[in-house]
Amino acid sequence: MTRKLEGKIALISGSGRGIGRAIALKLAADGARIVVNDLDEAPAEETVAAIRDAGGEAVACPGSVTAPDFAERFVGTATQTYGGLDILVNNAGYTWDNVIQKMSDEQWYAMIDCHLTAPFRILRAAQPVIRALAKAETEAGRRIVRKVVNISSVAGLFGNAGQINYSAAKAGITGVTKTLAKEWGRLNVTVNCVAYGLIRTRLTGNSADQGTERIDGRDIKVGVNPDLLAAMERTIPLGRGGTPEEAAGAVYLFCIPESDYVSGETLLCSGGLTGI
Ligand SMILES: NC(=O)c1ccc[n+]([C@@H]2O[C@H](COP(=O)([O-])OP(=O)(O)OC[C@H]3O[C@@H](n4cnc5c(N)ncnc54)[C@H](O)[C@@H]3O)[C@@H](O)[C@H]2O)c1
């Protein structure tokens, strides 16, 4: 059977764990060569090893997406290793919750930096590469459709108490998506967004079991209160949280040729949940 993404070069931020990892494995299994990113080398290299073990191609580009030089390094890894860039998934992220009266500026900007400014910088760094490739392809009479998939959340679409920073950033990325779909249409790039409901990952695991994670020099509490999680799950029409593999399926839809004429859209991947 022909693989739909054979030879494509895909950059996926935050792909050392969770949904990003599942996206990396899914795209690699369909023939894409992957630039894997995560905060630390170990999870990034683990995903690279899993892809190679399955017969695929991947390279790691570890580091925080919020680092000022990250975007150039990420795009540079793709061009230097594989000679181009076809698919870009802005997935890296975490949550740092509080009600507005207890939320510091630091907490606010941490979410804006990770979920909004970092994707903006990565996309800005990718622009000259994509423009040059599209120009050369047009001159050669070829049209290759490239794909950007940004990751949002039901918190961004509908709001979520205790997540004003995260909700604002995840709403913002839908604006980035719509604007870039207009700017990059002439470069044959589709720009879409997937907004998740509840997906079972470390992000939504039991907070009592998981401790903290070191992100950008801060210790951030990981996970969600299990009672809150159970209550959320009861509101999902399919009756359960999704798996990382199911989450990856929604991103895959925007990466394959069948979606080449879909751009500027936000797809809910939420088990039928249409509000929170
Ligand atoms: N799990 C859900 O229910 C859910 C719901 C809505 C949206 N999302 C979004 O999906 C994306 C993936 O989340 P997940 O559930 O797979 O979480 P996860 O914690 O399992 O995986 C996220 C990965 O991103 C990495 N990461 C975090 N900050 C980073 C940074 N600054 N630079 C590089 N890597 C970084 C983490 O180390 C981790 O490996 C996030 O953008 C998240 O906001 C998840």
Side-chain angles (χ1 to χ4, degrees):
M1 209 176 78
T2 323
R3 300 196 294 178
K4 292 187 174 177
L5 304 180
E6 196 65 61
K8 298 288 183 193
I9 301 155
L11 291 79
I12 307 163
S13 68
S15 47
R17 290 184 196 87
I19 297 168
R21 182 179 190 276
I23 295 168
L25 295 177
K26 173 90 183 155
L27 302 193
D30 216 29
R33 296 171 283 173
I34 314 289
V35 180
V36 175
N37 156 261
D38 212 281
L39 280 168
D40 303 309
E41 212 169 313
E45 289 294 355
E46 195 281 325
T47 299
V48 168
I51 290 170
R52 289 185 183 155
D53 286 350
E57 280 186 65
V59 64
C61 178
S64 176
V65 293
T66 65
D69 67 340
F70 177 77
E72 265 70 27
R73 216 159 50 72
F74 198 29
V75 171
T77 303
T79 54
Q80 284 150 30
T81 312
Y82 298 126
L85 184 171
D86 297 296
I87 295 168
L88 185 40
V89 185
N90 279 308
N91 164 81
Y94 64 103
T95 51
W96 191 9
D97 300 351
N98 224 330
V99 286
I100 189 167
Q101 66 274 23
K102 293 183 186 164
M103 186 168 290
S104 63
D105 281 7
E106 186 188 4
Q107 218 168 340
W108 168 264
Y109 282 115
M111 288 297 98
I112 303 295
D113 289 350
C114 183
H115 294 275
L116 196 51
T117 308
F120 155 71
R121 286 185 181 149
I122 292 166
L123 292 162
R124 185 176 58 183
Q127 199 276 350
V129 175
I130 292 174
R131 187 191 52 209
L133 289 166
K135 187 167 180 280
E137 286 151 11
T138 302
E139 283 167 4
R142 297 162 64 214
R143 183 175 62 218
I144 293 179
V145 178
R146 294 189 164 75
K147 311 280 194 164
V148 171
V149 187
N150 295 317
I151 302 301
S152 185
S153 162
V154 287
L157 267 49
F158 311 123
N160 197 23
Q163 292 194 317
I164 199 162
N165 51 356
Y166 180 74
S167 300
K170 287 303 199 189
I173 198 70
T174 67
V176 166
T177 301
K178 288 178 217 169
T179 295
L180 215 54
K182 292 186 174 170
E183 290 191 12
W184 285 9
R186 65 190 181 82
L187 301 178
N188 297 318
V189 183
T190 69
V191 186
N192 292 292
C193 192
V194 173
Y196 293 118
L198 174 63
I199 307 297
R200 290 284 188 179
T201 64
R202 189 181 63 158
L203 188 92
T204 52
N206 185 342
S207 51
D209 302 338
Q210 297 196 114
T212 59
E213 186 193 358
R214 190 92 187 143
I215 303 176
D216 292 343
R218 308 175 185 105
D219 291 318
I220 306 289
K221 201 166 179 313
V222 180
V224 183
N225 175 318
D227 296 335
L228 199 71
L229 213 65
M232 275 171 75
E233 217 151 31
R234 282 195 291 276
T235 66
I236 299 171
L238 283 177
R240 59 178 177 85
T243 65
E245 291 70 29
E246 288 171 324
V251 169
Y252 177 74
L253 295 177
F254 283 136
C255 296
I256 56 177
E258 282 82 348
S259 63
D260 279 359
Y261 203 62
V262 180
S263 193
E265 290 297 325
T266 296
L267 175 67
L268 256 178
C269 177
S270 63
L273 195 73
T274 52
I276 48 176

